[in-house]
Amino acid sequence: MGYRIKRVYEPAETSDGYRVLVDRLWPRGVRRERAELDEWAKDVAPSPDLRSEWHHHRERFDEFAARYRAELDANPAATALLGLGGGHDRVTLLFGARDEQVNHAAVLLAWLGDHGATVES
């Protein structure tokens, strides 16, 4: 199976497997019980400076993605997340952004794939 991404606002499903929130901030309006998380990997999210600079401006996504990938390359939390795939059939990375294609979780998923993980689109 592998890794996939999903909005945290969507209902949890048994097919999600191991559920990991990959946002640094807790998503608005989501109760912790409803999120049904197995882990909250805050440290794998973009740095506060990078997140506030980008602030979901679609036109700057390529620059954001390149800078975030550089952060991931130097981030032990990203390496730890990569290791989760060996212990679980599926790992679902949860994010709060509205845009399902232009967000940090999509960059993280691609980074995992580039580092040998099986990813689902």
Side-chain angles (χ1 to χ4, degrees), residues 30-79:
V30 176
R31 292 183 161 290
R32 291 186 190 264
E33 302 81 37
R34 186 178 152 256
E36 296 185 43
L37 296 181
D38 293 300
E39 185 174 336
W40 183 8
K42 298 179 202 182
D43 293 336
V44 79
S47 66
D49 288 342
L50 181 56
R51 186 181 63 79
S52 64
E53 279 180 38
W54 175 51
H55 203 61
H56 302 283
H57 292 288
R58 218 175 226 285
E59 67 277 3
R60 296 196 325 227
F61 185 69
D62 291 339
E63 175 191 348
F64 165 78
R67 290 181 57 198
Y68 181 38
R69 283 175 164 275
E71 285 186 358
L72 291 169
D73 287 338
N75 188 343
T79 304

Side-chain angles (χ1 to χ4, degrees), residues 1-106:
M1 297 232 189
Y3 291 83
R4 69 177 182 165
I5 60 173
K6 179 178 180 178
R7 289 193 75 222
V8 70
Y9 299 100
E10 295 177 31
E13 300 169 320
T14 56
S15 63
D16 289 343
Y18 193 77
R19 293 170 50 89
V20 181
L21 178 63
V22 294
D23 283 346
R24 190 168 298 277
L25 304 174
W26 188 261
R28 292 181 193 183
V30 176
R31 292 183 161 290
R32 291 186 190 264
E33 302 81 37
R34 186 178 152 256
E36 296 185 43
L37 296 181
D38 293 300
E39 185 174 336
W40 183 8
K42 298 179 202 182
D43 293 336
V44 79
S47 66
D49 288 342
L50 181 56
R51 186 181 63 79
S52 64
E53 279 180 38
W54 175 51
H55 203 61
H56 302 283
H57 292 288
R58 218 175 226 285
E59 67 277 3
R60 296 196 325 227
F61 185 69
D62 291 339
E63 175 191 348
F64 165 78
R67 290 181 57 198
Y68 181 38
R69 283 175 164 275
E71 285 186 358
L72 291 169
D73 287 338
N75 188 343
T79 304
L81 185 63
L82 187 58
L84 283 178
H88 303 281
D89 289 337
R90 174 177 281 149
V91 177
T92 299
L93 307 176
L94 303 167
F95 64 95
R98 287 188 186 117
D99 192 323
E100 295 189 36
Q101 282 79 41
V102 179
N103 62 64
H104 76 283

